[in-house]
Amino acid sequence: MNGSDTASLGPKYRIGRIEARRIVEWNAHLFTRDQVFPDSSRQEWLAQRSWLEPRFWNAENDAVTLTIQSFLLESDGKLVLVDTGIGNGKKRPTAPPFENLSTSFLERLREAGAAPEDIDTVVLTHLHSDHVGWNTRLDGEVWVPTFPNARYLISQAEFDYWNPEGSRAAGNPDADQALVFADSIAPILASNQVELWTGSFSIAAGLDLEQVPGHTPGSAVLKARSEQDSAVFVGDLLSTPMMLSQPDLCAKYGDHWIDDDPDRVRAARRDLLTRAAHAHTRVVPAHVNADAGVFVTPASHGFTASDGMAA
């Protein structure tokens, strides 16, 4: 199996009456700044070094930390899991660090007080391989749902985009995503646990999904509100904290944008951060190594952030 086990459990925090914590599956340097953020210079990162290093970036080798994590929410006795990471034993030949991973993710989830059968709802912000892997686990040689009593929420547009039996299938050459659908989506479809939604969707009082296309055609954010507190779980809309000071920054891999529609992502990110700053809403990105997300404040160029645990 691949790599060392970096799974860990974050501290509890509250969004009003909603209790939240993160379950980290994987935390390591996956790429360098110039590989994925070539439009953001080393000098610009060095100017932010005091808070980027060491948690988010290593100035010596230019390595950027990628955190892959899920978020466990308890609201009125119901357990909601936001995104499910990479998963163990998945074949990911186009993403070697994720190939045949073996971590103690489920043990950390149990440590948080949630056995797999206790999860009521799984929210999938989008269907990239590092967000859906623990949807399923191996039972012998068969992939079965990890959370047997949960409904798995997927936006209709996202499902249609990646569905290999859909009209777009012939135009989608992504071999990794074909494997992802086969081992992490098809089994939960077969078990009738998938619930598709469009536009927006209310999970429960104070927990609402909103489709925010751009990173993928059907990507979504989860908004949580309780009493006077609020949070927004933004998936990959904000994948590095440098996007706070540079809201127009988008990632590339070679000559290709990682976002499906970078201009749409930039506009959505600026809008979301502006509204979060105005309402003092906690912002919780999928890949940022922060225990409780961040609170943001407008600055001369973009935004600044304070640790979500401090508020």
Side-chain angles (χ1 to χ4, degrees), residues 121-138:
T121 302
V122 174
V123 170
L124 301 174
T125 60
H126 60 291
L127 299 187
H128 279 164
S129 63
D130 54 334
H131 291 258
V132 301
W134 277 110
N135 285 357
T136 59
R137 61 175 180 82
L138 270 179

Side-chain angles (χ1 to χ4, degrees), residues 6-252:
T6 58
S8 64
L9 182 63
K12 293 180 182 179
Y13 59 95
R14 302 197 72 85
I15 307 158
R17 294 178 60 187
I18 300 170
E19 186 175 274
R21 66 197 310 182
R22 66 174 182 153
I23 299 95
V24 177
E25 179 185 27
W26 195 88
N27 188 65
H29 294 146
L30 184 62
F31 44 74
T32 61
R33 174 207 51 82
D34 64 334
Q35 285 176 325
V36 181
F37 302 112
D39 296 336
S40 183
S41 71
R42 177 173 173 80
Q43 288 69 32
E44 289 172 315
W45 286 62
L46 285 171
Q48 308 288 339
R49 184 175 185 174
S50 62
W51 65 273
L52 284 176
E53 195 173 43
R55 198 195 311 185
F56 307 115
W57 177 60
N58 184 322
E60 182 176 350
N61 59 15
D62 209 24
V64 177
T65 299
L66 181 70
T67 304
I68 296 174
Q69 56 199 335
S70 300
F71 304 97
L72 180 66
L73 309 180
E74 182 175 359
S75 179
D76 293 330
K78 298 293 185 181
L79 292 175
V80 177
L81 190 67
V82 183
D83 287 332
T84 67
I86 302 164
N88 281 358
K90 298 293 168 86
K91 302 295 183 184
R92 301 290 181 257
T94 62
F98 303 159
E99 176 88 359
N100 280 325
L101 203 65
S102 178
T103 75
S104 57
F105 176 84
L106 289 184
E107 285 76 2
R108 301 291 76 75
L109 185 65
R110 290 188 179 94
E111 185 182 338
E117 58 269 22
D118 297 332
I119 301 298
D120 297 286
T121 302
V122 174
V123 170
L124 301 174
T125 60
H126 60 291
L127 299 187
H128 279 164
S129 63
D130 54 334
H131 291 258
V132 301
W134 277 110
N135 285 357
T136 59
R137 61 175 180 82
L138 270 179
D139 182 4
E141 297 184 357
V142 178
W143 293 106
V144 299
T146 303
F147 310 104
N149 300 316
R151 56 176 177 165
Y152 291 75
L153 301 179
I154 305 172
S155 81
Q156 182 78 58
E158 186 73 1
F159 177 83
D160 290 345
Y161 185 76
W162 297 115
N163 180 8
E165 297 182 2
S167 59
R168 185 189 171 276
N172 177 17
D174 192 323
D176 186 52
Q177 282 300 126
L179 288 173
V180 170
F181 202 95
D183 63 35
S184 298
I185 306 301
I188 60 174
L189 281 171
S191 65
N192 295 314
Q193 290 177 250
V194 172
E195 188 168 345
L196 301 176
W197 58 276
T198 58
S200 61
F201 183 87
S202 179
I203 298 171
L207 290 175
D208 298 288
L209 281 164
E210 180 182 340
Q211 191 170 296
V212 183
H215 179 61
T216 61
S219 54
V221 302
L222 173 66
K223 298 178 177 181
R225 179 174 294 277
S226 176
E227 298 175 337
Q228 303 304 309
D229 294 339
S230 59
V232 57
F233 295 80
V234 301
D236 285 5
L237 192 59
L238 196 155
S239 57
T240 170
M242 270 299 283
M243 289 175 176
L244 295 171
S245 60
Q246 298 182 359
D248 291 334
L249 180 63
C250 285
K252 286 182 175 178

